[in-house]
Amino acid sequence: MRLAPMAAILAVAVIGTPAAQAAPAREWIDQTTGHRIIRISQAPGSTSLYFHQNSYTRQGDKMVISTPDGIAVVRLADWRVTPLVRQTGIKLLLVGRRTRTAYYTQPHGAGVIVHGVDIDSGKVRRIATVARGSIGSINADETLLLGQWAEREPPLQPGGDGNRPGETAFAATGADGKPLSYADAKEVRLNQRLEAKIPMEIFTINIRTGARKVVVASTDWLNHVQFSPTDPARILYCHEGPWHKVDRIWTIRTDGSDQRLVHKRAMNMEIAGHEFFSPDGKWVWYDLQTPRGEVFWLAGYELATGKRRWFPVARDQWSVHYNQSPDGQRFSGDGGDAQMVARASDGKYLTLFTPQPIPDVAGIRADNADDLTEPGTLQAEKIVDLARHDYRLEPNVTFTPDGRWMIFRSNMEGASHVYAAEVATTK
């Protein structure tokens, strides 16, 4: 593997104080794609956040990552990594969209304690004590926590999760007694959890007053809770389970009004999921398959109008998660392996997608065109070759605020690390 000229930094001593760590540990040019790759993290076992959780300051100068001993800050100008919170057993949530605060939780009985840490000073303050349940999001003006609670939380995989951060080692046998693939075993475990009919709640907690308000209560499996990046009162959540069995994607306001099913299945084995807001909060985007594992789309729903856009995705370009650039002009995909739903034979890449509209023929527009799904195409460019990546750890790619880099987590060098891939090619 050829290293870029400035990539000779494999291990660097601490600079100055223990709070200052070296800038990038390793850098190279991907020989398949021609794009520059930087390994940001120093410590094996480091991970970036889940794909829809905000990692970045509003000013776009820093991001946060999880490390084996806590939380670290990355300065995006030079990838310098600085420890922020040294404490094991905590969970990094996200960075606030109004203040320069990183939020994290620590277990506390049947619930959690939520803390906020100033990204610049390292000063920690207690935000709230949640008596029961977990916290998954914070709203755009940082006044409400969003969480979920279940009467009980059985493990998805009996016997425990995977051995590396972010992984779950799903395993199950089929009716013939033979082991199922990782993807099919996961479906079995999801279905078992759905059929358990465990009482659940999605709730908010007012950060100022501590007041807890139930927004949704159900014995359906509620999951994937997230606040809009721009509207403090808009929530996106899902009915979890095997995607072909549930109408998954829902939105609601914090006062319980405007509850909407974002996508209604119209075909047996149709699935939709891994939903996320556009950066401006105006759209919900998601993976759509009609039917599962056969025909793939990146689909969008405009909240204000109900307008829909669908872009077809080739089998080898299907991704576990998609994301959208800050300017809304492009999408990313983190690929998938042959064991996953698309069963792609050559799908282990990070991909950059550029949408293209399909114009009306000869400029002749149908009278009801505005009421129909708007089609388009996606121009695809491979950014990172992940042939050595094990997809039990999902890459969860995001764009940096300036749109120049794609941040992801990978185990392509063995241990989990956080990486940056330059969107512009160096070839």
Side-chain angles (χ1 to χ4, degrees):
M1 185 175 291
R2 180 171 63 88
L3 298 182
M6 59 183 293
I9 312 171
L10 294 178
V12 186
V14 170
I15 299 173
T17 69
Q21 293 185 8
R26 188 175 178 213
E27 179 179 340
W28 70 94
I29 305 300
D30 189 305
Q31 295 298 290
T32 301
T33 71
H35 289 264
R36 182 161 54 135
I37 314 298
I38 293 173
R39 171 155 61 80
I40 299 168
S41 54
Q42 304 286 323
S46 298
T47 57
S48 56
L49 280 169
Y50 191 52
F51 80 108
H52 68 63
Q53 303 287 62
N54 180 48
S55 303
Y56 307 99
T57 58
R58 184 179 61 178
Q59 295 80 7
D61 60 328
K62 294 180 178 181
M63 73 174 185
V64 293
I65 62 173
S66 294
T67 62
D69 63 355
I71 301 169
V73 174
V74 179
R75 190 168 66 189
L76 297 179
D78 59 6
W79 310 112
R80 184 174 297 278
V81 180
T82 304
L84 183 63
V85 178
R86 292 186 183 273
Q87 182 179 348
T88 59
I90 61 176
K91 179 182 179 181
L92 177 60
L93 290 177
L94 48 76
V95 175
R97 297 187 182 274
R98 183 176 62 86
T99 68
R100 294 173 68 83
T101 304
Y103 294 89
Y104 65 94
T105 63
Q106 66 180 93
H108 180 70
V112 294
I113 299 174
V114 183
H115 296 279
V117 55
D118 184 275
I119 285 175
D120 302 306
S121 70
K123 183 178 180 180
V124 176
R125 60 191 174 96
R126 181 179 290 206
I127 303 298
T129 299
V130 182
R132 55 180 194 169
S134 61
I135 297 297
S137 191
I138 298 165
N139 68 345
D141 63 8
E142 297 178 56
T143 60
L144 293 175
L145 303 172
L146 179 64
Q148 61 193 66
W149 166 84
E151 189 177 80
R152 65 184 191 278
E153 291 281 6
L156 289 182
Q157 177 62 43
D161 294 336
N163 296 322
R164 294 186 288 192
E167 296 182 3
T168 298
F170 290 110
T173 56
D176 59 2
K178 296 180 180 179
L180 296 173
S181 69
Y182 172 83
D184 286 348
K186 183 176 181 179
E187 293 296 314
V188 169
R189 299 308 182 196
L190 293 176
N191 190 58
Q192 289 174 341
R193 170 61 181 82
L194 174 66
E195 290 301 316
K197 298 294 183 183
I198 298 171
M200 291 197 69
E201 295 173 351
I202 292 175
F203 61 89
T204 60
I205 291 181
N206 186 299
I207 289 175
R208 183 178 62 84
T209 68
R212 184 182 188 274
K213 175 181 173 58
V214 176
V215 182
V216 180
S218 177
T219 57
D220 291 331
W221 183 8
L222 307 175
N223 205 5
H224 219 241
V225 296
Q226 53 191 294
F227 266 121
S228 163
T230 56
D231 183 346
R234 174 65 64 184
I235 294 168
L236 187 63
Y237 70 99
C238 83
H239 285 199
E240 190 64 272
W243 290 5
H244 66 280
K245 191 174 177 179
V246 296
D247 283 322
R248 176 180 165 102
I249 309 170
W250 294 79
T251 182
I252 195 170
R253 298 192 69 78
T254 53
D255 63 2
S257 65
D258 196 24
Q259 185 178 35
R260 280 186 259 168
L261 175 62
V262 171
H263 181 91
K264 178 69 175 176
R265 290 174 297 122
M267 176 189 297
N268 187 36
M269 291 302 297
E270 178 178 338
I271 66 172
H274 280 162
E275 57 284 345
F276 63 97
F277 284 105
S278 61
D280 61 10
K282 295 180 179 179
W283 287 75
V284 173
W285 293 95
Y286 53 97
D287 170 23
L288 172 64
Q289 300 178 32
T290 56
R292 179 187 190 274
E294 297 298 333
V295 180
F296 308 92
W297 307 86
L298 174 57
Y301 170 80
E302 189 174 36
L303 289 162
T305 66
K307 183 70 178 177
R308 298 183 184 274
R309 290 178 182 161
W310 289 14
F311 300 103
V313 179
R315 182 179 296 276
D316 281 346
Q317 293 164 0
W318 172 85
S319 294
V320 182
H321 305 107
Y322 300 95
N323 225 318
Q324 192 170 27
S325 61
D327 63 5
Q329 297 303 302
R330 293 181 288 188
F331 292 93
S332 63
D334 58 7
D337 66 21
Q339 293 293 309
M340 305 181 94
V341 63
R343 293 179 167 82
S345 60
D346 187 28
K348 298 176 72 169
Y349 298 93
L350 293 192
T351 303
L352 181 70
F353 297 105
T354 303
Q356 300 292 329
I358 295 177
D360 298 316
V361 175
I364 302 169
R365 191 161 179 81
D367 293 340
N368 65 338
D370 291 339
D371 299 324
L372 304 176
T373 296
E374 181 181 315
T377 60
L378 293 173
Q379 293 181 351
E381 179 184 1
K382 294 175 180 176
I383 303 297
V384 181
D385 184 348
L386 291 176
R388 297 173 61 190
H389 178 80
D390 181 343
Y391 270 84
R392 286 176 293 180
L393 177 73
E394 297 169 345
N396 283 282
V397 65
T398 65
F399 288 94
T400 55
D402 61 9
R404 293 181 54 206
W405 298 86
M406 295 162 71
I407 306 297
F408 63 103
R409 54 193 182 184
S410 178
N411 50 33
M412 59 185 170
E413 295 181 287
S416 170
H417 275 287
V418 180
Y419 298 84
E422 193 169 23
V423 171
T425 184
T426 55
K427 274 187 177 179

